[in-house]
Amino acid sequence: MVNAAVAFASPSWNKVSSFPTIPRPVCKRNSRRSAGTSIRAMMGTDPIRDWICGEGGASKITRISPVGGGCINTALRYDTDAETFFVKTNRDVGPAMFEAEAAGLQAMFATGTIRVPKPFKVGALPGRGSYIIMEHINMGTSRGGQAELGRQLALMHKAGKTDKGFGFEMDNTIGSTPQPNPWTSDWVTFFQEHRLRYQLQLAEKQYRDYDIAEKGQRLVEKLPYLFQGVGDIQPCLLHGDLWSGNIAADEKGAPVILDPACYYGHHEAEFGMSWCAGFGSSFYNAYFEVIPKQPGTVSHMWANYLVGKRQSKGRVRHSKQNLPASSYHQPVEDELV
């Protein structure tokens, strides 16, 4: 097993989905014009070029081209005489966001299981903003196999362990939403305070949605009851934002996962985004062959239904993303409807 309590400096990246892309909260896509503007803005003092032509081992950059698919950052492909690099930039945030994402990528990379892009460098851009340089992975054109994705994801969950509790080395973001990750000794408390209650408070503050906030608070208070009989929950490394846009396959068809919001949690919390990940029975069958169903586990179909129903009833966009597929019973739905 790998203790992946790693603090690195770099990651995230563009996605080429290997599953049907199911709509997530809508965001405006970056255009070729914005990418070109970003390239021009970096002329002069260019820390990206300096790193690539220094520690990156290249003597010249042969081409810089925009890459589509991202909705928060500008994505660029740097072709060089050494290798190809994938670069993301953001003119609105400092390096902390990319540093946290890099730590997550490096933690997953360290398990030696499912493929993730290796992060190389994170830094500040001149004036304002930040960048991340990472391995460029050539993506395949066909859909990756769901069974292999399920198997490798389970292997990552088995390998990525920590003795620090539930949380992560640093806070990070899920999309652009802040995600607190303080080390917490038990899962139910972590899930209550730093996932559900925190995001309900964000929803109430931003949307003034007092109805979903009030119902959500009732659910939060019932979590200890809902987790009765689940058994001993051990923290494992989670991708944390596993929807269809963050799943791809390389040229050989091997699964690749991208843009994490990592933390150590209940392994079934990884299924919280299954309502927009397109997981099928082959995914779950392969996953549970590696990590058998635990006491309290219920059908993922029921979990998908519950989360989807929550999605249709409220404007809390990110509070669904970390819901585990375990221990949901009729009282959960009663609390939300």
Side-chain angles (χ1 to χ4, degrees):
M1 294 189 297
V2 177
N3 188 328
V6 181
F8 193 75
S10 343
S12 181
W13 107 308
N14 183 52
K15 334 112 160 123
V16 180
S17 177
S18 60
F19 291 89
T21 300
I22 302 172
R24 199 187 185 203
V26 176
C27 55
K28 187 176 180 180
R29 299 285 179 179
N30 289 303
S31 65
R32 287 179 175 269
R33 181 178 178 181
S34 65
T37 300
S38 187
I39 293 170
R40 289 192 297 272
M42 290 187 293
M43 293 301 181
T45 302
D46 186 349
I48 298 173
R49 185 181 298 270
D50 291 345
W51 186 90
I52 289 175
C53 293
E55 294 180 53
S59 60
K60 65 178 179 179
I61 296 170
T62 58
R63 184 182 181 188
I64 303 174
S65 53
V67 180
C71 60
I72 298 173
N73 309 295
T74 297
L76 302 168
R77 170 177 171 153
Y78 277 66
D79 292 296
T80 78
D81 59 350
E83 62 178 292
T84 301
F85 297 93
F86 186 85
V87 177
K88 287 174 63 173
T89 66
N90 190 311
R91 282 284 173 181
D92 297 321
V93 299
M97 180 183 75
F98 285 142
E99 287 171 353
E101 191 174 2
L105 279 178
Q106 182 63 21
M108 294 191 297
F109 186 87
T111 67
T113 55
I114 195 165
R115 188 172 186 186
V116 299
K118 181 175 176 58
F120 295 132
K121 177 68 175 178
V122 169
L125 291 172
R128 69 172 190 172
S130 56
Y131 67 90
I132 178 172
I133 304 171
M134 69 188 75
E135 171 192 11
H136 180 272
I137 298 177
N138 289 320
M139 297 301 179
T141 57
S142 62
R143 294 171 57 185
Q146 288 206 11
E148 187 61 14
L149 172 65
R151 187 185 73 84
Q152 291 197 26
L153 186 67
L155 290 173
M156 185 186 82
H157 289 168
K158 287 187 70 173
K161 300 296 184 182
T162 182
D163 58 4
K164 294 184 177 181
F166 299 90
F168 198 57
E169 296 294 326
M170 61 192 75
D171 294 345
N172 51 25
T173 58
I174 182 164
S176 58
T177 302
Q179 179 167 269
N181 297 310
W183 291 115
T184 308
S185 60
D186 71 280
W187 168 248
V188 173
T189 299
F190 178 84
F191 191 52
Q192 280 179 309
E193 300 302 324
H194 308 302
R195 289 299 178 264
L196 290 183
R197 200 188 304 276
Y198 176 80
Q199 295 190 29
L200 286 166
Q201 290 169 349
L202 289 181
E204 184 176 0
K205 181 178 180 180
Q206 181 172 353
Y207 297 110
R208 299 293 189 267
D209 195 333
Y210 302 109
D211 179 62
I212 194 69
E214 187 271 333
K215 290 177 178 177
Q217 292 296 344
R218 295 208 307 267
L219 169 61
V220 168
E221 298 305 320
K222 284 197 172 184
L223 279 185
Y225 161 73
L226 295 173
F227 277 89
Q228 286 181 355
V230 172
D232 183 30
I233 302 173
Q234 296 297 317
C236 72
L237 180 64
L238 307 178
H239 175 282
D241 191 11
L242 201 61
W243 69 294
S244 61
N246 289 342
I247 301 169
D250 66 17
E251 290 178 313
K252 297 181 180 179
V256 180
I257 54 177
L258 318 162
D259 291 350
C262 286
Y263 66 99
Y264 291 88
H266 187 329
H267 65 278
E268 290 182 12
E270 198 78 279
F271 306 152
M273 288 292 287
S274 59
W275 61 274
C276 65
F279 296 150
S281 59
S282 61
F283 169 88
Y284 288 101
N285 290 338
Y287 183 93
F288 289 125
E289 284 182 7
V290 178
I291 301 179
K293 289 183 179 182
Q294 304 298 306
T297 298
V298 298
S299 167
H300 67 275
M301 296 299 292
W302 170 252
N304 291 350
Y305 165 79
L306 172 65
V307 175
K309 194 164 187 176
R310 293 188 65 201
Q311 175 72 4
S312 67
K313 291 188 71 64
R315 290 172 290 176
V316 188
R317 300 211 181 264
H318 290 291
S319 64
K320 293 82 174 173
Q321 297 186 3
N322 301 304
L323 291 174
S326 65
S327 303
Y328 283 114
H329 308 291
Q330 188 65 39
V332 179
E333 185 186 7
D334 293 342
E335 288 301 320
L336 290 171
V337 298

